Amino acid sequence: MKKLLKHIRTFAIVSLLILLMTSTSFASPLINVVSPDEAVNIALFYYCLNVVEQENVEIDNYVVTPLYDEEGNVTYYAVDFFEDEQGIGYALVGANLTYYQCPEYYLEGSSYYYLNALEGNETIYYNPWQVYSHDDENYVDLYNQEVDAAEVEDGVIFDGELFENRIVLQNVSEVGDPLEDARVFEIHPSVYLQNLGYTSVSTDSYGTIETAMDNAGAFNYMYAVPKTLSTGVVLKNSGHCAITAISNVLKYWRYTHCGNYPAGYQAIFSAVLNKATSTGVFSNVANGSGIRNGNIGSLIKSVSDQYGYNGRYYTDSSNSTTFIKNYINQGWPVILNFSTDLTNSPFPYTGHATVAFGYNVMNAYIESERSQYTFIKFFDAQDVRGKVYVCWNMIRNSEYYL
């Protein structure tokens, strides 16, 4: 904590799915939840960003104070920093990446929120203009004026930029052992391992269809909803990651083998969306459910049949990279579903559909001991970074994923 300033056959369309564990649906709000520990790292980022002119700032302690809405849900964390038991400022961090992430910071003293908790009171916080202290009976505002509970219930949390907030969170997360580091990253695996202290890093094998996917225009992001497509179809359900993944795969197959599919991505997306809706596997309404794992294959086959292709699909749930590597080597992308219950894990992919298109098997040494790690490169249509890597060894070795 010290000196923080120095700091995917022409006669058939084939969709390949790998399912880590059984899951009810794709897309989960848990992707966006910020834990208290993550809030500390984010608060450090914002705090240090604003004390750059001060030469001797050292932090030897911190306190995290949760702030709530009227129903008792955590909205923000107040992270107070201390040096020699003296408050030296604080930063507020949203408890969800969809919130405005740092609405307040101060570079000296202790926060009102920390002090309010010391007095045994709870802070209701929506935004800097709607802050209330709550004891067992009453609500008071920042001017110590009593307010009605109805006013407190009308609080509004300001929206933030989800992609930007996720980038900040990824950038401030501490790097650890590849077997335990529950994160995804953009840098090449060789650089990732070198940053962890590994030496003599080399490539054992690799495979990729990234160039073909790029040329096909098959890296399309999820839409913000509601979205009126060029076909006139209106998308209303934000949990459409599986629709997006399937559409990107079909866009690739249209480019490489299957010319009967519509030429434009939005036309392909509309075809998948319409088929999913008409067959009842997707609810195209606001806050509707996503697509269940077991319906992915039949959906793709239905769309394929519609355009004259003998649709087939293959699945695997062995947690082995052999499936992914074999099909990528044949030029086929893989719909990759991280479907484990990760409620207690920092890995942000519960019930989320992505498209795997590459892999790297790396050899590396640390303290004269040789290790081998497999990295899968996939496209996350919900992450502004898009193309990212994950260490498969971490997935197989972590208790959260098996």
Side-chain angles (χ1 to χ4, degrees), residues 155-384:
V156 176
I157 300 174
F158 293 161
D159 292 334
E161 296 293 335
L162 174 60
F163 288 165
E164 294 179 7
N165 293 340
R166 184 170 288 140
I167 287 175
V168 171
L169 175 58
Q170 293 289 343
N171 286 340
V172 302
S173 297
E174 296 182 2
V175 176
D177 189 299
L179 298 181
E180 300 176 357
D181 192 12
R183 64 195 293 261
V184 301
F185 47 88
E186 293 177 276
I187 59 175
H188 191 274
S190 62
V191 178
Y192 168 80
L193 291 170
Q194 289 166 1
N195 287 345
L196 293 180
Y198 284 81
T199 60
S200 300
V201 179
S202 62
T203 299
D204 180 88
S205 61
Y206 75 97
T208 182
I209 56 172
E210 183 170 357
T211 298
M213 292 280 287
D214 269 323
N215 292 339
F219 291 121
N220 298 280
Y221 288 92
M222 291 179 65
Y223 293 118
V225 296
K227 170 69 176 180
T228 301
L229 303 171
S230 59
T231 58
V233 173
V234 180
L235 173 66
K236 301 176 183 179
N237 185 346
S238 61
H240 57 276
C241 61
I243 302 289
T244 302
I246 294 170
S247 300
N248 277 318
V249 168
L250 298 190
K251 188 73 167 66
Y252 169 82
W253 280 115
R254 203 270 178 192
Y255 172 79
T256 58
H257 292 95
C258 303
N260 289 355
Y261 288 112
Y265 173 75
Q266 291 198 18
I268 290 177
F269 187 98
S270 297
V272 177
L273 175 60
N274 287 338
K275 184 63 68 173
T277 303
S278 66
T279 56
V281 301
F282 183 73
S283 179
N284 189 24
V285 296
N287 300 316
S289 60
I291 297 180
R292 297 176 63 90
N293 294 349
N295 292 324
I296 293 292
S298 59
L299 172 58
I300 296 171
K301 187 179 186 307
S302 295
V303 176
S304 298
D305 291 345
Q306 179 179 327
Y307 292 96
Y309 295 112
N310 178 23
R312 301 179 301 172
Y313 63 94
Y314 304 97
T315 65
D316 185 86
S317 58
S318 65
N319 275 1
S320 169
T321 57
T322 301
F323 183 90
I324 298 177
K325 292 190 290 186
N326 283 347
Y327 284 108
I328 288 176
N329 288 341
Q330 296 180 56
W332 301 357
V334 179
I335 293 181
L336 176 60
N337 172 33
F338 298 93
S339 58
T340 311
D341 180 6
L342 305 178
T343 303
N344 297 314
S345 168
F347 190 66
Y349 283 93
T350 300
H352 187 46
T354 67
V355 179
F357 59 89
Y359 68 88
N360 295 78
V361 180
M362 309 298 299
N363 297 319
Y365 290 80
I366 193 163
E367 297 181 353
S368 300
E369 183 176 340
R370 178 182 176 275
S371 296
Q372 186 175 87
Y373 298 106
T374 298
F375 298 87
I376 302 301
K377 193 172 187 182
F378 64 94
F379 178 68
D380 177 13
Q382 187 173 257
D383 190 325
V384 68

Side-chain angles (χ1 to χ4, degrees), residues 32-253:
N32 304 324
V33 172
V34 176
S35 70
D37 288 341
E38 290 171 331
V40 174
N41 289 332
I42 296 172
L44 283 169
F45 170 78
Y46 286 110
Y47 182 85
C48 293
L49 191 67
N50 289 283
V51 295
V52 67
E53 299 300 327
Q54 301 182 28
E55 294 294 332
N56 298 313
V57 174
E58 293 187 1
I59 298 173
D60 51 35
N61 197 12
Y62 64 87
V63 174
V64 181
T65 304
L67 314 181
Y68 304 89
D69 62 14
E70 189 272 338
E71 295 181 349
N73 303 305
V74 177
T75 58
Y76 281 85
Y77 296 102
V79 183
D80 280 75
F81 301 113
F82 297 87
E83 180 182 1
D84 296 331
E85 299 185 358
Q86 298 298 311
I88 55 172
Y90 72 94
L92 292 194
V93 175
N96 193 293
L97 294 177
T98 61
Y99 300 165
Y100 189 89
Q101 272 296 283
C102 187
E104 295 181 28
Y105 67 87
Y106 203 66
L107 306 182
E108 59 184 40
S110 296
S111 71
Y112 162 83
Y113 316 105
Y114 166 69
L115 298 175
N116 195 39
L118 289 181
E119 295 179 0
N121 300 324
E122 184 177 272
T123 300
I124 309 298
Y125 188 99
Y126 297 99
N127 60 67
W129 294 273
Q130 291 180 302
V131 183
Y132 311 96
S133 176
H134 177 50
D135 57 22
D136 291 336
E137 298 180 359
N138 304 310
Y139 296 97
V140 297
D141 59 22
L142 288 173
Y143 303 99
N144 208 33
Q145 300 297 310
E146 189 169 338
V147 296
D148 293 333
E151 179 179 337
V152 178
E153 292 174 359
D154 290 335
V156 176
I157 300 174
F158 293 161
D159 292 334
E161 296 293 335
L162 174 60
F163 288 165
E164 294 179 7
N165 293 340
R166 184 170 288 140
I167 287 175
V168 171
L169 175 58
Q170 293 289 343
N171 286 340
V172 302
S173 297
E174 296 182 2
V175 176
D177 189 299
L179 298 181
E180 300 176 357
D181 192 12
R183 64 195 293 261
V184 301
F185 47 88
E186 293 177 276
I187 59 175
H188 191 274
S190 62
V191 178
Y192 168 80
L193 291 170
Q194 289 166 1
N195 287 345
L196 293 180
Y198 284 81
T199 60
S200 300
V201 179
S202 62
T203 299
D204 180 88
S205 61
Y206 75 97
T208 182
I209 56 172
E210 183 170 357
T211 298
M213 292 280 287
D214 269 323
N215 292 339
F219 291 121
N220 298 280
Y221 288 92
M222 291 179 65
Y223 293 118
V225 296
K227 170 69 176 180
T228 301
L229 303 171
S230 59
T231 58
V233 173
V234 180
L235 173 66
K236 301 176 183 179
N237 185 346
S238 61
H240 57 276
C241 61
I243 302 289
T244 302
I246 294 170
S247 300
N248 277 318
V249 168
L250 298 190
K251 188 73 167 66
Y252 169 82
W253 280 115

